[in-house]
Amino acid sequence: MWLDQPRNQNSPLAGLKVVELARVLAGPWAGQILADLGADVIKVESPEGDGTRLWGPPWVERTDAGGTVHREAAYYHACNRGKRSIIADFREEADLVRVRDLCRDADVVIENFKTGSLTKFGLDYASLSAPNPGLVYCSITGFGQTGPRAHEAGYDFVIQGMSGFMSVTGEPDGEPMKMGISISDLTTGTWAANGIQAALLQRERAGPFQGRGQHLDMSLMDCSVALLANQASYFLNTGKNPPRMGNAHAQVAPYGVFPVSDGHVILAPANDGLFVKLADLFGRQDWIDNPDFSSNAGRVANAALLDAEIAAETSKRTKADLLALCKEHGVPAGPINDLDEVFGDPQVIARGLRVDLGGMPGVRSPFTFSHAELALDRPSPILGEDN
């Protein structure tokens, strides 16, 4: 199944064939991760194309080999780098035969259709794995293949609310807030790529399942609940709902956003030693001597008072001056960057996170290997470019 002529011989997944029957974000995000790692990802699109091609503005224009100008949403290019694109209309039997033939020797199929809806097309796991028992077939849905909501569609915003994300995000007295990115979709796509590679490893390993693929069932709801981490632990161990804290931390103080004369900075002195360094920075020996601030538990209990005193000190300084002092004293701190500052940051530039392929800027997958490299050789495909 592994391709004889991979895209990049020195990429970890060079030679892996992936068929992507997915659209919008979670499935394509998983596919892009595998493509960056060197897999040959064939994106199968409807005649109308992935819906995100129309999710603008902003828009991007580019010209194909025949001189035709294509206008597509920048959103589409955030999650489809490195792939090939073919068009298939599932209402046409000839197109279905073509897709089944693609899957016959594929290593991986990624799909994010509603549970059970690909069965009538013969594109479900049972149908495709019969002639290809080594196939790793990844289904991405809102709620998974089982349970009372299995047949419901899932949307990132809705899942952010249902999973508890929004109950712990936002100011204490404000309304619950979603994150500024589609965190449920992106988390699911990332974990799907991880699960796919685990299944591929099991397929290669000696044992009862050597040579066998499997069906990987990923859901936005599962992945979002799993990402609750310490907030889930808070509830499971106390029976109480964790509060919304805004930019504060429920278990650590001081830890948050503080004003400076020209904006805001983040201060994160997350243990007793770092708090002493913060007090030294401001010349506030009284903080160190105050029994209410001598331990993290005391600082959490008196966070409002402590934060007000810290804010009074930080507001006397500029952002640059305070960050320089924090660096000098070893206090964890940082700016709150807009994206122009992010991509102008010397660290981001040094790590090569921005990539430009075929005139299309993007952000590479954040893997840095000692003995391998990413396959960053193709921009996102034009619809049907590889028919």
Side-chain angles (χ1 to χ4, degrees), residues 59-378:
W59 304 98
V60 175
E61 291 188 353
R62 54 181 171 162
T63 305
D64 65 20
T68 301
V69 177
H70 297 264
R71 184 173 184 260
E72 302 151 322
Y75 193 117
Y76 167 78
H77 298 286
C79 49
N80 287 289
R81 176 180 56 249
K83 305 174 186 178
R84 295 192 279 168
S85 169
I86 67 167
I87 295 172
D89 188 339
F90 289 179
R91 296 165 295 187
E92 300 291 335
E93 183 59 28
D95 283 6
L96 281 176
V97 169
R98 186 182 182 205
V99 175
R100 293 189 201 111
D101 285 345
L102 274 177
C103 297
R104 189 175 296 273
D105 65 346
D107 295 283
V108 178
V109 168
I110 302 171
E111 63 90 5
N112 64 351
F113 285 75
K114 286 181 67 175
T115 298
S117 61
L118 287 180
T119 303
K120 62 185 176 183
F121 301 115
L123 296 174
D124 56 304
Y125 173 66
S127 299
L128 296 181
S129 64
N132 183 3
L135 179 67
V136 173
Y137 185 103
C138 178
S139 294
I140 297 175
T141 57
F143 298 97
Q145 303 294 304
T146 59
R149 294 184 179 272
H151 292 280
E152 295 183 20
Y155 298 91
D156 177 272
F157 194 177
V158 176
I159 299 294
Q160 285 199 43
M162 292 181 67
S163 66
F165 279 175
M166 293 176 62
S167 75
V168 296
T169 306
E171 292 297 328
D173 298 325
E175 66 178 9
M177 296 294 293
K178 73 178 181 66
M179 291 193 66
I181 56 172
S182 298
I183 187 65
S184 294
D185 274 326
L186 295 172
T187 295
T188 305
T190 301
W191 267 339
N194 194 18
I196 287 167
Q197 292 174 86
L200 290 169
L201 179 61
Q202 185 178 31
R203 187 184 75 177
E204 300 301 315
R205 202 166 50 207
F209 298 104
Q210 186 172 20
R212 294 290 304 276
Q214 57 187 296
H215 188 189
L216 181 60
D217 174 9
M218 304 295 301
S219 90
L220 272 67
M221 187 68 169
D222 291 357
C223 292
S224 299
V225 172
L227 199 64
L228 288 173
N230 62 294
Q231 298 285 30
S233 185
Y234 181 109
F235 167 74
L236 294 172
N237 285 281
T238 68
K240 299 177 181 178
N241 288 315
R244 287 199 302 278
M245 300 290 295
N247 289 315
H249 195 295
Q251 288 83 38
V252 178
Y255 197 95
V257 174
F258 294 90
V260 289
S261 62
D262 55 350
H264 294 84
V265 299
I266 295 168
L267 297 179
N271 59 45
D272 292 346
L274 291 173
F275 176 68
V276 170
K277 291 182 178 182
L278 180 73
D280 287 341
L281 183 159
F282 292 122
R284 294 296 300 266
Q285 181 64 37
D286 58 309
W287 291 353
I288 300 171
D289 297 336
N290 188 335
D292 289 339
F293 301 156
S294 61
S295 68
N296 181 67
R299 293 192 295 274
V300 170
N302 296 280
L305 173 61
L306 178 57
D307 285 353
E309 295 204 21
I310 294 173
E313 296 290 346
T314 61
S315 61
K316 302 173 185 176
R317 295 163 172 82
T318 65
K319 182 195 312 185
D321 287 345
L322 181 56
L323 292 176
L325 280 170
C326 287
K327 184 175 181 180
E328 178 183 335
H329 286 76
V331 175
I336 301 172
N337 288 333
D338 290 328
L339 294 197
D340 60 333
E341 296 170 302
V342 172
F343 289 103
D345 188 298
Q347 181 66 23
V348 173
I349 294 170
R351 299 290 288 179
L353 287 167
R354 172 176 171 154
V355 292
D356 291 271
L357 303 171
M360 303 296 302
V363 181
R364 69 171 176 85
S365 293
F367 306 105
T368 302
F369 300 97
S370 63
H371 300 298
E373 58 191 32
L374 298 179
L376 301 173
D377 55 356
R378 293 188 189 131

